[in-house]
Structure formats: C-alpha cells, structure tokens
Amino acid sequence: MTETAASSSKGRPARKADAGFFARITLFVRQVIGELKKVVAPTRKELINYTLVVLVFVAVMMLIVTLLDLAFGTGVSWVFGGSGATDR
C-alpha cells in the first residue's frame, strides 16, 4: 500500500479545499510560524564574512558602473562633439 500526500498527514484529517477565509488565514499564520522556527541565525564570524562579501561586491559594481559611465560619456562627447564635462 502506498501513502499519498492526503493520507500521510500524521493523523490529521485532510483539510477541505473550501475552508473559510479565517481558517485559511490561520493556516497561513501557522505555516509562517513553522517556517520561522527553522531559521538559523548566522554566527558572528559568518555575519562578518557575509558583510565583507557584500561590501566588496558593491565596491566592484560601483567601479564597473563608474568606468562604463566615463566611457559612454566620453564616447557620446566624441561622437556628437559636445562641450560636456569630459571635454577639455
């Protein structure tokens, strides 16, 4: 005999699909609380490591965006012969 998802609910009867509004909200809140109990907070060392990774990533992305901005600004100024801030 095989178990299905409905019959393996650990002794609880299967929920009706047409449960009331408040019953669905209660079920949702219970599921949220159940998931929050599974959350594990990082250790201090992990938190510092994650923070450094994010800061390095943001700094690299800022460098890339700055270089692209300067390149496109110079290119547009060169193509259109403008008297922009990069034209000296």
Side-chain angles (χ1 to χ4, degrees), residues 39-62:
V39 174
V40 178
T43 63
R44 182 176 179 87
K45 185 177 179 180
E46 289 173 336
L47 187 62
I48 291 171
N49 189 28
Y50 296 154
T51 304
L52 290 175
V53 167
V54 169
L55 290 176
V56 168
F57 176 77
V58 169
V60 168
M61 293 308 295
M62 286 174 50

Side-chain angles (χ1 to χ4, degrees), residues 27-80:
L27 176 63
F28 174 74
V29 170
R30 285 182 184 166
Q31 290 175 343
V32 167
I33 291 171
E35 289 297 321
L36 286 175
K37 288 180 180 179
K38 297 177 188 178
V39 174
V40 178
T43 63
R44 182 176 179 87
K45 185 177 179 180
E46 289 173 336
L47 187 62
I48 291 171
N49 189 28
Y50 296 154
T51 304
L52 290 175
V53 167
V54 169
L55 290 176
V56 168
F57 176 77
V58 169
V60 168
M61 293 308 295
M62 286 174 50
L63 179 65
I64 291 171
V65 169
T66 300
L67 293 175
L68 286 173
D69 182 49
L70 288 173
F72 284 123
T74 303
V76 167
S77 178
W78 178 74
V79 168
F80 295 108

Side-chain angles (χ1 to χ4, degrees), residues 5-7 9 11-17:
S7 67
S9 62
R12 294 183 184 165
R15 297 213 183 250
K16 293 182 180 178

